[in-house]
């Protein structure tokens, strides 16, 4: 009886698997034919394991968040850009991605099209999962599409296990970026044609395939300086299909501010998510989930990563978002996903401070340049604001006072001419508790789904992104009026009357990129968005990262190394990424 592997592409394709384990990771073909739903369910289950490292690769390498300090966890390499091939989280991303490819491919090989509408729908779901996996793997391990896709390497295209896994165990090396994208597009178009039943936001759908095609073509559309009109047009075409389907709608501002709390099936804006449920977690499991690194809720979570000062500044650019409990006022709806940990003094009162970010003086020549937060006690007396700083000098307390200059008195933003001679802008606020030296700007966008915990179903596609995809594609086509309409559809939803007045070649990249950063933060998109448009990543804000080192889009560290265990166990040649520029 022919065996269909339920595990990886084949046992030898990844670490810790071998042919001897085949009986425990396989199922008779007849068993699958009688119960294909079991194998399809298993394919979706692979996405649950895959989605955790997927998020960390995409989000931690960006500039929306910072971590309290260096860590021995493998994810710190994603933050520090200290790339190595021996990283278990990277290995998990590879393994579970190829498990999903293997299982979906084997279903596709086993069942013929046209047997029934229901079976065609299931096949379409498999094509969607496989196409999505090839795209996500390629954008992590392959260079941005605008950089010589005909020669740069993507990932191996291995569509199912060989019929004879004992004697025919030789897999191809990595395909080019161009060919990998072509495989993803082919699969997703097949999914689009086969899926006719929409089973809900937790399942692949025709519109989910169209949403992913809109994103892929956007990734292929070149940079703003050198756009590819053909691919930009296709990105618009597929965005149109999703938007005009009438199956999804943007949440209103008030609802959007609670986006993270809705279950996927209750969210009109969601197109496809990797569905998680509370019963999958037990005990302290929520500590180690995505949201558990960003916050502590109900005693669950490490709370070691916070919104970056750069992201906070973007949120406050139009007007100050005031998170103080007795003054709560959100200007940009995206600020509702940030929750500072205000702390009270021993009398149960909040302490008023002036918080700003300053540049540190290097302790010795050659030290890394850094910035840091300051929270100085402040006294507000009518229109006069003074702050005081106490420093130790020769074991004695030396007090220095500063009178602040109003920048926007209504919003309580001020500037200080500090002792280093530099002028910094900050705001009057309540004291935020520190973790090490960093105020805890908790991120809750990946928490509280349906309950007060860290439950979160990672978002793959939602309608807000599709409008932004179309805006960028229109801009690259030179249709700035249509681009502005789509951009302001998202902008005005979050900021009342906050729409931009004009868009042209001089500001399109700046405004659209900014809106994508604000809107898609903590959805694992940011680092890829920066590099695919040929821009450097700047992380000049407090944190342990190299703050004054810009990562160029051509830097070898933009792509992750192929996991070494995957190379060691691969039945054939598997080429590693460059280890230097």
């Amino acid at each position: 009886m022919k065996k269909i592997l339920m595990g990886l592409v084949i046992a030898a394709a990844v670490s810790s698997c071998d042919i001897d384990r085949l009986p425990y990771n396989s199922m008779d073909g007849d068993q699958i034919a009688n119960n294909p739903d079991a194998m399809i369910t298993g394919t979706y289950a692979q996405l649950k394991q895959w989605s955790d490292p997927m998020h960390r690769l995409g989000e931690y390498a960006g500039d929306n968040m910072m971590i309290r300090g260096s860590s021995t966890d493998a994810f710190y390499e994603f933050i520090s850009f200290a790339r190595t091939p021996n990283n278990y989280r990277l290995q998990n991303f590879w393994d579970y991605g190829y498990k999903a490819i293997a299982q979906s491919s084997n279903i596709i090989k086993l069942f013929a099209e046209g047997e029934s509408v229901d079976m065609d729908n299931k096949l379409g779901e498999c094509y969607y999962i496989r196409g999505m996996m090839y795209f996500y793997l390629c954008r992590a391990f392959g260079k941005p599409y605008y950089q010589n896709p005909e020669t740069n390497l993507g990932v191996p295209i291995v569509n199912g296990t060989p019929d004879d896994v004992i004697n025919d165990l030789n897999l191809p090396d990595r395909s080019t970026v161009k060919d990998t994208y072509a495989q993803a597009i082919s699969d997703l178009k097949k999914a689009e044609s086969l899926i006719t039943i929409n089973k809900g936001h937790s399942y692949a759908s025709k519109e989910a395939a169209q949403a992913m095609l809109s994103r892929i073509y956007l990734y292929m559309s070149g940079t703003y300086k050198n756009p590819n009109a053909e691919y930009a047009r296709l990105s618009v075409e597929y965005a149109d299909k999703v938007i005009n389907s009438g199956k999804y709608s943007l949440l209103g501002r008030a609802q959007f501010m609670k986006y993270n709390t809705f279950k996927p099936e209750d969210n009109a804006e969601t197109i496809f998510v990797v569905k998680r449920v509370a019963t999958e977690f037990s005990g302290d499991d929520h500590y180690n989930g995505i949201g558990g690194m960003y916050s502590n809720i109900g005693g669950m979570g490490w709370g070691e990563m916070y919104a970056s000062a750069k992201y906070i500044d973007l949120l406050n650019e139009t007007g100050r978002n005031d998170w103080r409990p007795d003054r709560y006022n959100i200007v940009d709806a995206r600020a509702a996903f940030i929750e500072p940990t205000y702390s009270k003094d021993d009398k149960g009162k909040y302490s008023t401070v002036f918080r700003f970010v300053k540049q540190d003086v290097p302790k010795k020549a050659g030290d890394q340049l850094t910035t840091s937060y300051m929270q100085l006690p402040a006294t507000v007396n009518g229109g006069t604001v003074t702050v005081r700083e106490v420093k130790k000098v020769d074991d004695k307390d030396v007090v220095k006072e500063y009178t602040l200059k109003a920048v926007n008195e209504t919003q309580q933003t001020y500037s200080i001419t500090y002792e280093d001679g530099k002028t910094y802008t900050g705001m009057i606020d309540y004291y935020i508790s520190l973790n090490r030296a960093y105020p805890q700007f908790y991120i809750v966008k990946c928490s509280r789904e349906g309950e007060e915990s860290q439950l979160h179903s990672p978002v793959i596609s939602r309608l807000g992104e599709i409008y932004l995809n179309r805006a960028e594609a229109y801009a690259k086509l030179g249709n700035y009026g249509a681009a502005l309409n789509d951009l302001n559809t998202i902008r005005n939803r979050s900021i009342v009357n906050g729409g931009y007045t004009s868009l042209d070649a001089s500001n399109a990249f700046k405004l659209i990129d900014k809106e994508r950063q604000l809107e898609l933060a903590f959805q694992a998109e940011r680092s890829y968005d920066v590099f695919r448009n040929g821009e450097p990543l700047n992380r000049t804000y407090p944190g342990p990262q190299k703050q004054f080192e810009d990562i160029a889009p051509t830097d070898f560290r933009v792509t992750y190394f192929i996991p070494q265990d995957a190379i060691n166990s691969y039945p054939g040649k598997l080429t590693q990424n460059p280890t230097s520029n």
Side-chain angles (χ1 to χ4, degrees), residues 303-504:
E304 294 182 1
M305 296 179 180
Y306 318 118
S308 69
K310 181 177 183 178
Y311 189 71
I312 296 295
D313 285 346
L314 278 181
L315 289 173
N316 288 327
E317 188 178 71
T318 304
R320 176 186 178 171
N321 297 282
D322 199 333
W323 289 287
R324 287 176 288 186
D326 54 349
R327 295 171 176 251
Y328 194 76
N329 181 51
I330 297 299
V331 175
D332 189 323
R334 279 83 56 117
F337 305 125
I338 309 299
E339 295 184 3
T341 58
Y342 292 115
S343 62
K344 297 180 178 180
D345 59 22
D346 54 6
K347 296 180 180 179
K349 294 184 178 180
Y350 295 110
S351 300
T352 300
V353 298
F354 176 63
R355 186 174 51 258
F356 63 99
V357 174
K358 72 175 183 69
Q359 184 172 326
D360 299 324
V361 178
K363 293 181 179 179
K364 63 180 184 298
D367 278 359
Q368 175 192 338
L369 293 175
T370 59
T371 60
S372 62
Y373 281 102
M374 297 291 289
Q375 294 193 110
L376 300 181
T379 300
V380 180
N381 186 6
T384 302
V385 180
T386 57
V387 299
R388 61 197 301 270
E389 182 179 20
V390 180
K391 286 188 173 182
K392 285 285 186 183
V393 178
D394 297 328
D395 292 328
K396 294 182 179 180
D397 288 340
V398 176
V399 178
K400 186 161 187 177
E401 292 191 348
Y402 302 88
T403 299
L404 305 184
K405 182 178 180 180
V407 175
N408 186 320
E409 192 170 349
T410 301
Q411 296 189 3
Q412 291 193 308
T413 58
Y414 293 83
S415 66
I416 182 174
T417 301
Y418 195 56
E419 64 180 8
D420 59 7
K422 295 183 173 65
T423 299
Y424 303 105
T425 299
M427 63 182 60
I428 301 299
D429 202 355
Y430 293 149
Y431 181 83
I432 298 175
S433 56
L434 304 179
N435 195 328
R436 297 187 182 175
Y438 306 110
Q440 298 179 135
F441 284 97
Y442 278 175
I443 301 159
V444 296
K445 197 175 185 181
C446 302
S447 307
R448 293 201 176 114
E449 182 182 306
E451 58 180 49
E452 281 296 309
S453 78
Q454 300 292 1
L455 185 62
H456 172 62
S457 294
V459 176
I460 300 299
S461 295
R462 63 179 176 89
L463 192 59
E465 179 211 343
I466 309 306
Y467 276 99
L468 292 173
N469 289 353
R470 196 168 69 173
E472 180 178 332
Y474 271 140
K476 288 178 176 176
L477 290 168
N479 189 345
Y480 295 111
L484 181 62
N485 286 338
D486 281 341
L487 187 62
N488 280 343
T489 295
I490 300 303
R491 182 80 173 171
N492 284 320
R493 190 256 296 268
S494 285
I495 304 173
V496 178
N497 298 321
Y500 300 111
T501 57
S502 63
L503 192 76
D504 54 35

Side-chain angles (χ1 to χ4, degrees), residues 13 26 64 69 104 123 138 146 168 210 233 240 251 289 347 387 416 433 444 463 577 579:
S26 62
N64 296 325
S104 56
L123 289 171
C138 190
Y146 80 92
D168 183 16
Q210 292 165 342
R233 181 186 61 78
D240 282 344
L251 299 180
K347 296 180 180 179
V387 299
I416 182 174
S433 56
V444 296
L463 192 59
N577 275 325
T579 57

Side-chain angles (χ1 to χ4, degrees), residues 67-351:
I67 188 172
R68 66 173 188 171
S70 60
S71 173
T72 57
D73 193 292
F75 65 58
Y76 189 67
E77 292 182 2
F78 308 153
I79 299 170
S80 67
F81 279 78
R83 302 290 188 242
T84 73
N86 297 305
N87 184 304
Y88 83 90
R89 292 189 184 274
L90 196 63
Q91 183 74 48
N92 286 342
F93 176 70
W94 176 278
D95 285 355
Y96 289 112
Y98 270 107
K99 281 184 179 182
I101 287 173
Q103 291 185 208
S104 56
S105 295
N106 287 330
I107 297 171
I108 290 168
K109 289 173 66 176
L110 190 63
F111 295 94
E113 294 176 30
E115 293 182 356
S116 69
V117 171
D118 182 63
M119 194 63 228
D120 279 357
N121 206 84
K122 290 180 171 64
L123 289 171
E125 292 177 68
C126 292
Y127 276 111
Y128 170 82
I129 291 171
R130 190 172 77 179
M132 180 178 70
M133 287 300 99
Y134 276 126
F135 169 62
Y136 272 82
L137 286 163
C138 190
R139 74 174 186 175
F141 296 109
K143 293 184 178 180
Y145 197 87
Y146 80 92
Q147 298 177 18
N148 303 314
E150 300 87 357
T151 55
N152 287 333
L153 295 180
V155 295
I157 296 174
V158 187
N159 292 335
T161 59
D163 289 340
D164 185 350
V165 296
I166 304 299
N167 300 309
D168 183 16
L169 205 58
N170 188 31
L171 298 183
D173 197 358
R174 297 166 64 189
S175 296
T176 64
V177 167
K178 181 178 181 179
D179 287 346
T180 309
Y181 270 65
Q183 176 67 52
I185 289 170
S186 174
D187 284 344
L188 290 164
K189 286 184 175 180
K190 192 71 170 177
E192 180 190 20
S193 69
L194 288 172
I195 300 176
T196 56
I197 305 168
N198 193 319
K199 297 159 60 177
H201 307 307
S202 304
Y203 296 89
S205 64
K206 181 186 294 291
E207 290 75 26
Q210 292 165 342
M212 193 59 62
L213 283 164
S214 174
R215 188 193 301 175
I216 291 176
Y217 282 125
L218 191 69
Y219 272 59
M220 299 170 71
S221 68
T223 66
Y224 283 84
K225 296 175 183 176
N226 187 24
N228 184 304
E230 175 188 0
Y231 295 133
R233 181 186 61 78
L234 286 166
S235 182
V236 169
E237 177 183 322
Y238 279 95
D240 282 344
K241 290 182 178 183
V242 179
I243 293 169
N244 296 334
S245 72
K247 294 182 179 178
Y248 310 95
S249 59
L250 292 174
L251 299 180
R253 173 183 161 89
Q255 284 187 308
F256 177 66
M257 290 167 68
K258 299 183 289 185
Y259 188 101
N260 58 306
T261 68
F262 296 126
K263 295 180 180 180
E265 57 269 24
D266 299 328
N267 196 324
E269 187 167 333
T270 296
I271 299 171
F272 179 67
V273 303
V274 178
K275 174 68 173 177
R276 306 304 302 271
V277 295
T279 54
E280 295 170 356
F281 298 90
S282 62
D284 292 343
D285 286 351
H286 278 313
Y287 264 89
N288 302 313
I290 294 170
M293 291 306 301
Y294 293 142
S295 62
N296 181 293
I297 297 174
M300 290 289 181
W302 299 105
E304 294 182 1
M305 296 179 180
Y306 318 118
S308 69
K310 181 177 183 178
Y311 189 71
I312 296 295
D313 285 346
L314 278 181
L315 289 173
N316 288 327
E317 188 178 71
T318 304
R320 176 186 178 171
N321 297 282
D322 199 333
W323 289 287
R324 287 176 288 186
D326 54 349
R327 295 171 176 251
Y328 194 76
N329 181 51
I330 297 299
V331 175
D332 189 323
R334 279 83 56 117
F337 305 125
I338 309 299
E339 295 184 3
T341 58
Y342 292 115
S343 62
K344 297 180 178 180
D345 59 22
D346 54 6
K347 296 180 180 179
K349 294 184 178 180
Y350 295 110
S351 300

